[in-house]
Amino acid sequence: MRIGELAEATGTTTKTLRFYEEAGLLPPAHRASNGYRDYGPDAVTRLDFIRRGRAAGLTLAQIREVIDIRDAGQTPCSHVHDLLTIRLTDIDRQIADLQGLRATVARLCHEAGRAEPAACDAEDVCRYL
Amino acid sequence: MRIGELAEATGTTTKTLRFYEEAGLLPPAHRASNGYRDYGPDAVTRLDFIRRGRAAGLTLAQIREVIDIRDAGQTPCSHVHDLLTIRLTDIDRQIADLQGLRATVARLCHEAGRAEPAACDAEDVCRYL
DNA sequence: CTTGACCTTCCATCGTGCTGGAAGGTTCAC
DNA sequence: GTGAACCTTCCAGCACGATGGAAGGTCAAG
């Protein structure tokens, strides 16, 4: 299949596919006689893997690590487990940070809702922030 | 005070202070006879306001909006309230997204922990992701 | 035979908030 | 007088994941 068909089939764009190839996430595509990229069905499988990795919040670099392990003939299972463990810790920290931030912003927002502009000091820009 | 002293006093860097001036967050500093920037105590107040805005997760552009309203002689209270309300909605959405993501990653991580490499299909890179 | 939809490469740009470094001027202590 | 520690401007680049556009080749339908 051609690049536009693959993009259509996987819900992405030709730009992104060329970018992924450049980034080593897709193997260099076989070329038809006219120079057009010619993909087999395994490209769809590969892109689905990339999509799952992105959905899990992995970076393209991390996804590439996993692909490289597989392409080197190893099984990437344990590395995937490591990546997911780190990711989980990171997500938990992000959630905790956001919950702290939410409390702060909610308090400020509540105060700003009952603001008395006259009480503000111009030099301080806004006392409700 | 000179730029290095202001940076020291506010816990930032001279690079950042020049960047803020360029971005319109700090008014162009008065210059001493040798061309050095010369700041008054109000610069500390202004930087403290910027720091509070950053801590609330506002972008520099949003902080600048507030500053511009104040510098135009208006009271920015209601705009601050609007910004904080939007920010709160956004934070709640981010938290919800992350909690959904956490569930996904936790499940994958659990499965990957009891992985059987032999059961993996090489074309699929890793079935645990 | 032309039009339009594809495809190719290459290079630049987005947003966000800085950060680094070069090349040079100023000031102060020793 | 010299060296360090400041300061100045200007231009480049980082991460991240694409996205836009120019200039040109290819192919099938009408």
Side-chain angles (χ1 to χ4, degrees), chain B residues 13 15-16 19-20 34 36 54 58-61:
Chain B
T13 66
K15 283 284 188 190
T16 298
F19 170 74
Y20 280 177
N34 57 10
Y36 288 12
R54 294 291 296 141
L58 297 185
T59 65
L60 296 184

Side-chain angles (χ1 to χ4, degrees), chain B residues 1-108:
Chain B
M1 69 201 316
R2 292 188 306 185
I3 196 169
E5 295 167 319
L6 180 59
E8 174 87 6
T10 56
T12 181
T13 66
T14 58
K15 283 284 188 190
T16 298
L17 294 178
R18 292 192 198 95
F19 170 74
Y20 280 177
E21 180 176 310
E22 185 66 24
L25 291 161
L26 287 174
H30 174 246
R31 299 302 179 113
S33 56
N34 57 10
Y36 288 12
R37 286 174 180 82
D38 185 21
Y39 295 97
D42 51 335
V44 178
T45 314
R46 171 63 62 98
L47 281 163
D48 201 50
F49 174 75
I50 295 170
R51 192 193 50 70
R52 297 200 306 275
R54 294 291 296 141
L58 297 185
T59 65
L60 296 184
Q62 289 172 325
I63 293 169
R64 185 177 168 171
E65 284 173 16
V66 178
I67 288 172
D68 285 348
I69 289 169
R70 174 58 83 186
D71 287 349
Q74 313 289 308
T75 50
C77 309
S78 72
H79 187 61
V80 166
H81 183 242
D82 290 350
L83 285 176
L84 292 176
T85 303
I86 292 167
R87 187 79 192 98
L88 203 51
T89 308
D90 196 45
I91 290 170
D92 284 341
R93 193 188 43 70
Q94 284 183 57
I95 290 174
D97 287 353
L98 278 173
Q99 281 169 342
L101 182 57
R102 193 203 187 281
T104 304
V105 173
R107 181 180 53 75
L108 290 171

Side-chain angles (χ1 to χ4, degrees), chain A residues 25-40:
Chain A
L25 291 162
L26 287 174
H30 174 248
R31 298 303 178 111
S33 57
N34 56 10
Y36 287 14
R37 287 175 179 81
D38 185 21
Y39 295 96

Side-chain angles (χ1 to χ4, degrees), chain A residues 13 15-16 19-20 34 36 54 59-60:
Chain A
T13 67
K15 282 286 187 189
T16 298
F19 170 73
Y20 280 178
N34 56 10
Y36 287 14
R54 293 293 296 142
T59 65
L60 296 184

Side-chain angles (χ1 to χ4, degrees), chain A residues 1-16:
Chain A
M1 69 202 316
R2 291 187 308 186
I3 195 169
E5 296 167 320
L6 180 59
E8 176 86 6
T10 56
T12 180
T13 67
T14 60
K15 282 286 187 189
T16 298

